[in-house]
Amino acid sequence: MTSDLATAAILASQFLLLLGMGMAIVRMVRGPRAQDRVLALDALSIDGMLLLLTIGIRTGSILYVEAGLIIAVLGFAATAAFAKFLLRGEVIE
Amino acid sequence: MNVLATVPGWVALTIGALVLAGALLVCIGSVGLLRLDSFYRRVHAPTLGTTLGMYLVLVGTIVFFWAGEGRPALHVILIGVCVTVTTPISLMLLARAALERDRREGAAGIPAANPPETGADGGE
Amino acid sequence: MTRWLPHPWFALWLLVAWLLLQQSLAAPTIVLGIVLALVLSWALGKLGLPRVRVRSLGTLLVLLARVFADIVRSNIAVAKIIVSPWPRYTSGFVTIPLEITSPYALALLACIITATPGTIWVSHDSRRQMLLIHVLDVIDEATWIAHIKQRYEQPLLRIFR
């Protein structure tokens, strides 16, 4: 009984995280500027990483945690590279 | 199969509450990302998900693997440390890039390259 | 000591991260971790970065606890602003004159300010020692300046003197 309730809570959190990812995607498509899209992409990667952790809790598999660790590191590299490009890319133009 | 049934009931409830609270904060952060009306305001929103929201989900995950599999998944802490250290860097870079772009275009409400002693107002 | 282990904090962090990733405390893992930490921190020393000098570990721990409390508090404040149907708030840039010059203290201050929801570090003018931050809800500019200077800058000055 309590475990059903807990599972429902995890399911609800997955729904909330998916909703958050959806909103981040809307912001990414809408823009209006490049920095908004990069910010949304950063939020998207964090939300996705947390979603992986909740999947790990529901399936009891530690592998999802490892995947989350990799996304946490790679998401940063992507955002830093994009921001660097926004900062420098147009200076040359 | 219900994996959460393998841990004691109150532990399962604690995990559920922690993860749900964290996911709620992350979701509110995304709402802010969608709802706030200028870039400098939006840039504050995802920090909800990268700080307390993430910490709550991480603690829930650690408790789950500790109670369920008998071994603490302590490398979850590494996710927390990585994100805590890297998010400020990427957000700072983004804010600086946005400021440079806005200055180049001469947007309104942006402090000049050499801010005056008193400070300048932006936004509303 | 300084020649062979120029960055002891970095080496310690590498060892801890290695052990966390390996999830074991077996002797070979520890030995390999120590070797990796020593070699990598020695390689970092070759880059000629300034050394980290933590003068007061206690102050650092107090500061971290304080930052955590502030993060929790401002999470709630920002969440309220986002959720409220008709939010009334004024956001704007705040310029803060800084005293700290140590690169590590500045880096830590940048992380603290940006990690706290509601404030973000925008740019720092090292020549004029002026910091520009953006605040989501500026109630009073002077209060924010005093808040950053007293709560974060004073302890940082004591830690990285």
Side-chain angles (χ1 to χ4, degrees), chain B residues 4-93:
Chain B
L4 277 162
T6 56
V7 299
W10 63 273
V11 178
L13 279 184
T14 312
I15 296 166
L18 282 171
V19 175
L20 189 60
L24 190 66
L25 269 177
V26 174
C27 191
I28 291 175
S30 289
V31 170
L33 192 64
L34 201 57
R35 208 181 147 206
L36 300 180
D37 52 3
S38 81
F39 172 77
Y40 297 103
R41 285 181 173 179
R42 284 195 281 269
V43 84
H44 296 290
T47 40
L48 290 184
T50 57
T51 53
L52 195 59
M54 180 189 66
Y55 297 151
L56 289 170
V57 176
L58 292 185
V59 171
T61 312
I62 293 177
V63 172
F64 170 75
F65 282 106
W66 204 331
E69 311 208 332
R71 61 168 182 163
L74 285 180
H75 57 322
V76 174
I77 296 173
L78 278 182
I79 298 182
V81 174
C82 279
V83 173
T84 305
V85 173
T86 56
T87 309
I89 300 173
S90 50
L91 288 185
M92 254 184 296
L93 278 174

Side-chain angles (χ1 to χ4, degrees), chain A residues 2-4 6-7 13 20 23 27 33 35-36 47 50 53 57-58 60 62 65-66 69 76 86-87 90, chain B residues 2-3 9 12 19 23 26 30-31 33-34 39 42 58 64 69 71 75-76 79 86 97-98 101-102 104-105:
Chain A
T2 48
S3 72
D4 287 341
T7 311
S13 345
M23 285 187 281
R27 175 51 77 193
R33 314 239 10 226
Q35 52 262 39
D36 290 298
D47 289 13
L50 293 177
L53 291 187
I57 292 180
R58 271 191 61 205
I62 196 95
V65 176
E66 323 268 349
L69 188 55
F76 161 67
L86 291 184
L87 201 60
E90 296 188 349
Chain B
N2 192 346
V3 182
V19 175
V26 174
S30 289
V31 170
L33 192 64
L34 201 57
F39 172 77
R42 284 195 281 269
L58 292 185
F64 170 75
E69 311 208 332
R71 61 168 182 163
H75 57 322
V76 174
I79 298 182
T86 56
R101 284 164 68 100
D102 282 345
R104 237 176 279 146
E105 290 167 13

Side-chain angles (χ1 to χ4, degrees), chain A residues 69, chain B residues 75 78, chain C residues 11-23:
Chain A
L69 188 55
Chain B
H75 57 322
L78 278 182
Chain C
L12 184 68
W13 158 242
L14 275 181
L15 178 63
V16 170
W18 172 259
L19 291 177
L20 282 177
L21 273 176
Q22 293 292 324
Q23 308 245 4

Side-chain angles (χ1 to χ4, degrees), chain A residues 6-82:
Chain A
T7 311
I10 303 285
L11 260 174
S13 345
Q14 286 180 328
F15 174 73
L16 284 175
L17 288 173
L18 274 175
L19 200 66
M21 287 174 87
M23 285 187 281
I25 289 174
V26 170
R27 175 51 77 193
M28 195 157 68
V29 172
R30 250 210 238 158
R33 314 239 10 226
Q35 52 262 39
D36 290 298
R37 297 179 211 272
V38 178
L39 183 68
L41 184 69
D42 191 56
L44 189 66
S45 79
I46 296 285
D47 289 13
M49 185 267 292
L50 293 177
L51 186 64
L52 272 180
L53 291 187
T54 56
I55 296 175
I57 292 180
R58 271 191 61 205
T59 57
S61 163
I62 196 95
L63 277 178
Y64 290 99
V65 176
E66 323 268 349
L69 188 55
I70 293 167
I71 291 184
V73 177
L74 287 188
F76 161 67
T79 310
F82 276 129

